Each structure stands twice: as structure tokens, then as C-alpha cells.
Amino acid sequence: MTTEQLYQRYRESGTVSTDTRNIVPNSIFFALKGERFNANEFAAQALESGAKWAVVDESKYVADERYVLVEDVLTTLQELARYHRRQLHIPFIGITGTNGKTTTKELLYAVLSQRFKTYATKGNLNNHIGVPLTLLSIDDSIEMAVIEMGANHQQEIAFLCDIAAPTHGLITNVGKAHLEGFGSFEGVKKAKGELYDFLKTHDGVLFLQGDNEYLREMETQRGILKVVRYGFSPTNDIVGRLEYANPLLGVSWKIRDAEMFHTIQTQLTGSYNTENILAAVAVGRFFGIDDTQINQGIVTYTPTNNRSQITKTAQNVVIADYYNANVSSMEAALANLAVIEAEHKVIVLGDMFELGEDAAKEHRYIIDRALALDADRTIFVGEAFYAHQNTKAEFYATTDNAKEALRERPVVDSTVLLKASRGMAFEKLMDMV
């Protein structure tokens, strides 16, 4: 079956499924494979649960005309998504970066939805499977699409751009993350810059944090012609400033050369989110959304999924930011805590993953940065941090050990930062603070 023929079946069904636990009636089931599963084995179950067709790549599972046999299911899913994308003649905004991708994506969605019917990546579906699934969720009623793209190796962003074909794009920032896959910070810049390469080749529009020296250098090297700049210096098209972070953000912005600033109170914490907010302003104004609607979208946005979330517990104010962590996001979280006005501050940091041979050096660096804040209490959790234990802070090898220590010696009347890689399971500590 050709991609065009399969596409006709997709148009008839209107949706795809990949999980037998959540089959959409009349959908096309794609039997994907992973390290520990082979969904070919569940194709019959998917059909029994309501799928109309099942795409498989092992002939022994084909029982009747409802099965579509292909060479490779994942490749077929990606090709179908690529074909569908070419039928959609609307703006596609691609977002990547070391930190802030998801928050920026959600802010863009909040602003663009004020005027346009907008579809944005759900959750964290930002990889070689997630992006195709996102594209195949976009129907003809959608007027604007925001696509998050993640990567931990070279050429992944290029591959995702080839499928999603962004007409507009932005890189939030570049920092030290996934160094095992990228090899170095220069490798990070090269990989993220693949979005710029695509925009250059396809005459796309770039939204650029004009005060970020790395991003500015990457843009200059490529000579992208259509650039909208946002940042803090007066030469940017959108100029912003942080008003306060106590702990929620107050941010002001204006267009270049205007006299008056708009000042808005957000539901975000983290001074580092100021530039994510300015990105949403820049995109909103580019697409003709008026200032009142832009501000409304930003003010009403509420963060979720333990990304820069403020939680008031019975004893403390907790900054829950443990969905992910790397060196640059740790630095940003600590810098934000430094500007928050609070009488008592407690820092609880967990290991950063995927740093490769730089892991020891970078964990030692973060220890020094955290101790420099002179918080009331500083706690490091995980084997990588534990290897550098000293008498200036508390060190625990596991999250469970830290939980027990917090139970024995509770934290009260404090602003608490919880920051770690997702695998550290810091949600276990929420009951203790």
C-alpha cells in the first residue's frame, strides 16, 4: 500500500492510535516496537477494541483485510505524518532549545488561541514518534500549529523539521544538556541550529532572543533574512524587563521605540521565564494579535507538570521544578531563588542525568553555585552529588534517604526549591515540605 493509499484510509478514520489501552474508535492502529514490546502482538486486540485498521510489519499477524502490512511501522507512521503535513497550508511554528521548550510552547498556544484555532504539541510528544503523532492530530479546522521538537543526538532536529516543515521557529536557548549524545556544548549548538538551517533553506521566519550571544551568533552564521528579535535591550523588536519575582513574575514589555510598557502579573515563577514570555509576545504581535489579547493569554496561563510551579503547602511555599534538570536549568533556578524575597530559603537539588564524562565536574560546579546562595538549608540528593559530599551541606545518596531526613527534621516557614532530573522522583519529597 502506498502512502497516498494509506492516507485515504487516514482521512476516512480521522485519527491514529498506538496504545491498545486507549483505542480511538475507527482509528488506524500503528503497531510500534520498542526495546521491551512488540505491538504487532496486540494488533488483533486493537481491532477488537474498535480500531478500523491495523498497520503491522510482521506478516504472521495478518489475519484479514483489516491489516495493512508494511516494511516498517514507525517509518510508515513518519511518512504518513509528512504527507499529511504537506496538505496543511497554515503556519507551523517549530520550537526547540535546551530549556523552556514546553513552557514557551504553552505560552505561544495561550496567546495564539486568543484569535486562532491553534493546535500545540500535547505533553512531551516531541520526538521521532511524538512529532508524527502530533501532526496526525491536526485536522482541517486548525489555523495555527505549534510543534515542540526535542533531541539528544545530532540530526534529530533536522529529521523532525523534514517531517513537520516549520514555516516559523525559535530556539529558546542552548545549554549543557544531553552531553552524552551531543558530545559537547558545541555539539548542542550544532544540533539545535538544525532548526535555523531549515528556516534558512525554506525562507522561514525566525523569532530570536536578541540578547543571547550564542543564538545571535548561530543566526548570523546562517544569514537568515526574516528575523523578529525579542529581549531586554532597546534594539530588539520586542523589549521586556523583569519587574519582580516574589515568587510569581511581574513582567513589562513594549514594542521598540514605544514609550509605554505593558505590565502584567503572571502565574509563572522563575525569572528565566521572562524571555519565554517575551517570545510569546513577539509571536503574537507578528500574527496580528492585539496587545490586550496577548496580555490576556499570558496572564491566564497556569503552568503544570512540575515545571516552574508554585505550590503552597501547610508549612512552606514550594517551587516544584523537577520535571527535568541540566546544568543551565539548575543555574537558572538558583538565580531565580536568589532574587526572590523570602526570609527563609531551602534548596533541595537532585542529580542531573545524561552528562556523560562531564557529570562529576558539572555536579561539583552546581554544588558551588548553590552554596554561594547561603540558604538556610542546602540539600543534595543522588549518587552524582553524593560523590562530592562535604560539611557545608546535607548529602543523601537516594531520594528516599532525603525524604527520611526531611521527616526527622521538617522544613517550615520557608521558600523551598525542588529541582532534579525526572528520574530522581522528587514528587516523593512533596509530602515532606
Side-chain angles (χ1 to χ4, degrees), residues 105-353:
K105 173 226 9 178
E106 292 177 352
L107 284 166
L108 260 63
Y109 175 80
V111 168
L112 293 171
S113 295
Q114 297 293 312
R115 178 174 174 182
F116 302 102
K117 186 171 183 183
T118 306
Y119 192 92
T121 300
K122 304 295 184 186
N124 200 32
L125 291 173
N126 64 7
N127 64 3
H128 62 295
I129 298 174
V131 169
L133 291 175
T134 296
L135 296 178
L136 291 169
S137 299
I138 299 174
D139 62 33
D140 294 335
S141 70
I142 298 299
E143 300 172 301
M144 197 80 65
V146 183
I147 308 298
E148 180 181 333
M149 296 183 288
N152 54 23
H153 291 86
Q154 303 292 340
Q155 293 302 308
E156 282 188 90
I157 296 298
F159 179 75
L160 296 177
C161 283
D162 183 61
I163 296 175
T167 55
H168 304 70
L170 69 89
I171 299 176
T172 55
N173 49 53
V174 287
K176 295 178 179 178
H178 302 298
L179 296 181
E180 280 182 330
F182 292 133
S184 66
F185 179 53
E186 288 301 315
V188 174
K189 291 196 292 183
K190 181 180 178 181
K192 301 300 183 182
E194 290 162 13
L195 173 59
Y196 285 5
D197 294 333
F198 187 91
L199 294 174
K200 168 66 175 178
T201 303
H202 295 82
D203 197 29
V205 176
L206 169 65
F207 299 97
L208 177 71
Q209 211 290 43
D211 299 321
N212 185 306
E213 61 176 312
Y214 302 121
L215 298 181
R216 201 168 56 240
E217 175 192 4
M218 291 160 61
E219 177 265 326
T220 301
Q221 289 172 346
R222 291 161 175 82
I224 298 173
L225 297 179
K226 300 175 182 177
V227 182
V228 178
R229 292 172 171 81
Y230 61 91
F232 305 101
S233 60
T235 55
N236 290 297
D237 299 298
I238 299 297
V239 181
R241 66 190 184 202
L242 172 66
E243 298 292 347
Y244 53 83
N246 291 316
L248 295 179
L249 296 184
V251 174
S252 293
W253 68 269
K254 68 170 187 171
I255 60 173
R256 187 177 56 199
D257 299 330
E259 293 185 9
M260 297 293 293
F261 276 88
H262 298 269
T263 301
I264 49 180
Q265 161 78 59
T266 77
Q267 299 180 58
L268 282 160
T269 188
S271 53
Y272 47 85
N273 275 314
T274 306
E275 56 195 74
N276 299 332
I277 292 167
L278 297 179
V281 172
V283 172
R285 283 198 59 91
F286 180 86
F287 286 107
I289 299 176
D290 69 51
D291 297 349
T292 301
Q293 289 177 309
I294 289 173
N295 291 338
Q296 177 68 12
I298 294 169
V299 166
T300 56
Y301 167 67
T302 303
T304 56
N305 298 325
N306 304 311
R307 299 176 187 270
S308 303
Q309 276 183 260
I310 291 288
T311 301
K312 291 187 177 180
T313 65
Q315 298 87 19
N316 304 291
V317 174
V318 180
I319 303 172
D321 194 6
Y322 47 81
Y323 184 86
N324 209 345
N326 52 55
V327 181
S328 51
S329 69
M330 282 281 196
E331 284 185 290
L334 291 169
N336 176 64
L337 187 65
V339 301
I340 289 176
E341 295 178 8
E343 186 174 353
H344 300 289
K345 299 179 183 180
V346 173
I347 300 170
V348 187
L349 304 181
D351 278 358
M352 303 172 287
F353 296 165

Side-chain angles (χ1 to χ4, degrees), residues 362-426:
E362 299 297 357
H363 280 85
R364 189 164 55 246
Y365 170 73
I366 292 299
I367 289 172
D368 292 340
R369 291 297 299 267
L371 291 176
L373 266 63
D374 196 26
D376 293 66
R377 194 171 171 187
T378 305
I379 300 171
F380 299 101
V381 186
E383 293 180 2
F385 276 129
Y386 194 73
H388 304 285
Q389 59 182 307
N390 58 55
T391 58
K392 299 177 183 178
E394 299 173 49
F395 290 81
Y396 302 100
T398 69
T399 302
D400 287 335
N401 293 153
K403 182 176 181 178
E404 187 59 33
L406 289 168
R407 177 183 286 115
E408 294 177 358
R409 186 185 166 199
V411 173
V412 296
D413 299 328
S414 300
T415 294
V416 183
L417 170 64
L418 294 181
K419 179 73 175 170
S421 285
R422 179 69 193 89
M424 291 301 296
F426 258 31

